[in-house]
């Protein structure tokens, strides 16, 4: 009979909160697909307002990124086409089921800049074969997220600029106002299918300009009014 010790789990991943010592514990990552028309088009899809769809990033994929720290981001195995997708991340401070759209914003703790890093070649294969996307979307360390700014803090608005550069070259540059499904709509719809909980994150989709990164490249993701994140692919 095995004498293997009972596993002891690592503590939950947590994100820093701007100006506070407390940290935000991460529960799950929900991600919306094709939420900016120009990105849907660059991926070969019709950007008309089809019903939104979601996929998950495991908590293990979330990597906390601290203000002003260049964080190493490991290039994952199994891909030769690893893409950046810069996204506004919504952090929920309060959960619920069937949350009405007009109450959805009350559930938001704050906002951060995140990346939905994607093994594009594996995602493409999964799409073609009608398979799940996790192998493309939920690689270890594929969800770096920066410090959370509390909802209502001055300087941030849902119409601000969202950008990503690699080695100083601007690749993604858009406005949050270009989202197809608004944040209250995303929360309301998700909460019909899942009981949302405090600690859940929502990656709200990426604008156009996604591209592959290589080892040693430095990515800087930013959203107006939030703390930018800086990552070096290793
Ligand atoms: Mn995405």
């Amino acid at each position: 009979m095995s004498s293997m010790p009972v596993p002891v789990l690592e503590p939950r991943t947590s994100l820093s909160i701007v100006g506070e010592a407390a940290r935000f514990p991460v529960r799950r990552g929900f991600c919306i697909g094709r939420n900016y028309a120009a990105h849907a088009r660059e991926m070969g899809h019709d950007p008309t307002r089809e019903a939104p769809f979601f996929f998950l990033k495991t908590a293990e994929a979330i990597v906390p990124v601290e203000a002003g720290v260049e964080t190493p981001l490991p290039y994952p195995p199994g891909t030769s086409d690893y893409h950046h997708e810069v996204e506004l991340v919504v952090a929920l401070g309060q959960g619920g089921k069937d949350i009405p759209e007009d109450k959805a914003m009350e559930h938001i703790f704050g906002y951060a800049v995140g990346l939905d890093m994607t093994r594009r070649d594996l995602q493409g294969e999964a799409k073609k074969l009608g398979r799940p996307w996790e192998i493309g979307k939920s690689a270890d360390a594929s969800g770096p997220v920066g410090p959370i700014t509390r909802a209502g803090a001055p300087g941030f608005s849902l119409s601000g600029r969202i950008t990503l550069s690699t080695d100083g070259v601007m690749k993604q540059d858009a406005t949050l106002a270009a989202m197809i499904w608004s944040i209250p709509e995303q929360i309301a719809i998700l909460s019909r299918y899942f009981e949302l909980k405090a600690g859940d994150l929502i990656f709200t989709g990426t604008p156009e300009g996604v591209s592959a990164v290589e080892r040693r490249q430095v990515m800087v993701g930013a959203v107006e009014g939030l703390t930018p994140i800086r990552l070096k692919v290793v």
Side-chain angles (χ1 to χ4, degrees), residues 56-165:
L56 287 160
K57 247 186 215 307
T58 63
E60 277 71 20
I62 308 294
V63 176
V65 181
E66 306 305 333
V69 178
E70 184 175 282
T71 302
L73 191 78
Y75 196 98
T79 184
S80 54
D81 196 23
Y82 198 40
H83 277 208
H84 56 76
E85 295 191 356
V86 66
E87 309 204 357
L88 173 70
V89 175
V90 172
L92 297 184
Q94 200 187 306
K97 281 193 238 186
D98 297 319
I99 299 168
E101 229 178 273
D102 63 352
K103 296 265 184 272
M105 298 300 275
E106 297 167 17
H107 295 255
I108 297 176
F109 179 86
Y111 301 92
V113 182
L115 302 183
D116 169 17
M117 294 301 296
T118 302
R119 290 191 276 217
R120 192 72 74 199
D121 39 6
L122 299 189
Q123 183 202 21
E125 219 173 278
K127 282 184 189 172
K128 219 183 308 165
L129 297 169
R131 289 180 182 159
W133 282 14
E134 277 66 31
I135 200 156
K137 284 295 195 177
S138 206
D140 292 337
S142 62
V145 179
I148 297 176
T149 293
R150 279 185 183 260
F156 171 76
S157 86
L158 292 175
S159 54
R161 191 175 170 204
I162 178 167
T163 58
L164 182 129
S165 65

